[in-house]
Amino acid sequence: MSIRRRRGARIRPYTFTGGRTRSRHPLMVQTLVSTADTNAAVPENLLPESRNIFELCREARSVAEIAAELKIPMGVTQVLLSDLADQGLVYIHPTITGHSPSENQVLERALRGLERLFQ
Amino acid sequence: MDSNVSSSNPGPAPLVSTKIVIAGGFGAGKTTLVGSVSEIPPVTTEAVMTEASREHDDTSATPDKVTTTVAMDFGRLTLEQELVMYMFGTPGQARFWFMWDDIVRGAVGAVIVVDSRRLADCFDAIDYFEKNQTIPYIVALNRFDGELGYTVEEIREALEIAPDIPIVDFDARDRRSSGQVLRRLLEYTLSRPKTPQLV
Ligand SMILES: Nc1nc2c(ncn2[C@@H]2O[C@H](COP(=O)(O)OP(=O)(O)OP(=O)(O)O)[C@@H](O)[C@H]2O)c(=O)[nH]1
Ligand SMILES: [Mg+2]
């Protein structure tokens, strides 16, 4: 049995989008996004897809939820969100990945939450 | 912390999200696990395939299985008012594995769901996480109606799983049982030394 593909040989989605989903706004599938100003009107100059994203993000949503709700492919959703973030229209919330000891406190809270839900 | 969102301050409420991955072989019960614990019905981001899958994967052990997850499916748990955890199921069929890296990136941990009647189906998933090295994982045995002819230690040997990696036994259809698996994963994640990961 062997690993089917080498990690180094894969094509990353960033390749398709010219590297626009850069790490300044780490937009992972679980990353939550909300409009920076919850009362703001939709800016006129946005693409229809971006307007829809803007409206949806009046309540915080994950990248995956936005893609699923609007039926926009994940990679495209990431690019559009990245553009909205660059314009200061949406806020990208922090994501806990558990790989730094400083995140332990949040992970402990997550575990307490699970313990409450599944006793 | 002031969590009164309806106040005149229009700034976004402080929120944090996190993610765990539900991996495993074809038809092992990944989507069932996500559905058992999630507060929303599992969302599938791309089409669900039906009959076509039968030509490529052996479904004899799951005779009533007519759909398979092509893309990722996910569920959500609000653990605190400002803390949300997502569970992402990976596509079961090996030819859709190109999507794994995106699903796995930045996860706090992974559950490898194993159909205890078809142990070999999860070998690829275990290979993946063994090679990845940054994401802590546990193995969850879905017994499918209690048919299990081996001890957990025999299974550990067959899967060649290191002794420190938890192997738990559960029923993916049961909410509490599936929730215990998630708890076990987070306990294990917290007990492990941290490996820096670029995201
Ligand atoms: N009897 C029994 N059936 C189960 C159990 N867990 C899952 N199933 C059934 O087994 C089938 C496969 O479960 P899924 O949750 O779709 O498996 P999956 O891992 O998401 O499958 P793919 O995404 O296609 O790889 C479904 O018909 C489930 O209803 C179990 O513990 N016992
Ligand atoms: Mg599935």
Side-chain angles (χ1 to χ4, degrees), chain B residues 116-117 119 141 143 146-152 154-155:
Chain B
S116 55
R117 304 162 304 177
L119 291 183
L141 294 171
R143 283 203 188 208
E147 302 168 32
L148 184 62
Y150 325 93
T151 65
V152 165
E154 282 169 334
I155 287 172

Side-chain angles (χ1 to χ4, degrees), chain B residues 25-32 65 68-69 92 142 144-145 171-173:
Chain B
F26 175 68
K30 303 177 292 290
T31 303
T32 306
K65 183 166 172 54
T68 186
T69 309
N142 193 10
F144 281 88
D145 307 317
D171 182 336
R173 297 163 302 176

Side-chain angles (χ1 to χ4, degrees), chain A residues 1-7 10 12-14 23 26-32 34-39 60-62 64-65 68 74 78 91 93-101 104 106-111 113-119, chain B residues 10-13 15-19 37 40 43 45 72 74 76-80 83-86 88 94 97-98 101-103 105-108 123-124 127 131-132 134-135 175-176 179-180 182-183 186-187 189-190 194-197 199:
Chain A
M1 193 190 50
S2 65
I3 305 257
R4 296 210 149 93
R5 7 186 317 276
R6 279 172 298 116
R7 282 169 59 75
R10 76 205 139 156
R12 290 188 159 276
Y14 321 121
S23 56
L27 282 164
M28 293 176 280
V29 289
Q30 74 275 26
T31 303
L32 291 167
S34 40
T35 51
D37 178 349
T38 43
N39 300 318
R61 277 183 169 69
S62 64
E65 284 167 310
M74 195 71 72
Q78 284 167 333
Y91 179 77
H93 296 271
T95 310
I96 294 296
T97 60
H99 296 278
S100 138
N104 270 4
V106 183
L107 282 185
E108 297 273 7
R109 279 167 47 202
L111 178 57
L114 286 178
E115 286 168 354
R116 272 193 304 274
L117 286 169
F118 307 105
Q119 286 173 11
Chain B
L15 282 167
V16 175
S17 67
T18 189
K19 165 178 76 181
V37 293
I40 54 167
V43 184
T45 51
M72 59 181 90
F74 64 91
R76 186 181 69 202
L77 279 173
T78 303
L79 300 177
E80 280 180 15
L83 176 56
V84 183
M85 189 172 86
Y86 288 92
F88 279 83
W97 277 34
F98 63 90
D101 293 332
D102 250 10
I103 298 172
R105 189 165 61 110
V108 295
F123 288 176
D124 288 331
D127 281 355
K131 198 155 180 269
N132 176 291
T134 53
I135 315 275
R175 178 179 178 275
R176 184 169 178 271
Q180 302 277 357
L182 305 188
R183 283 176 59 171
L186 274 208
E187 282 162 10
T189 298
L190 277 161
K194 299 288 172 263
T195 320
Q197 182 199 31
V199 292

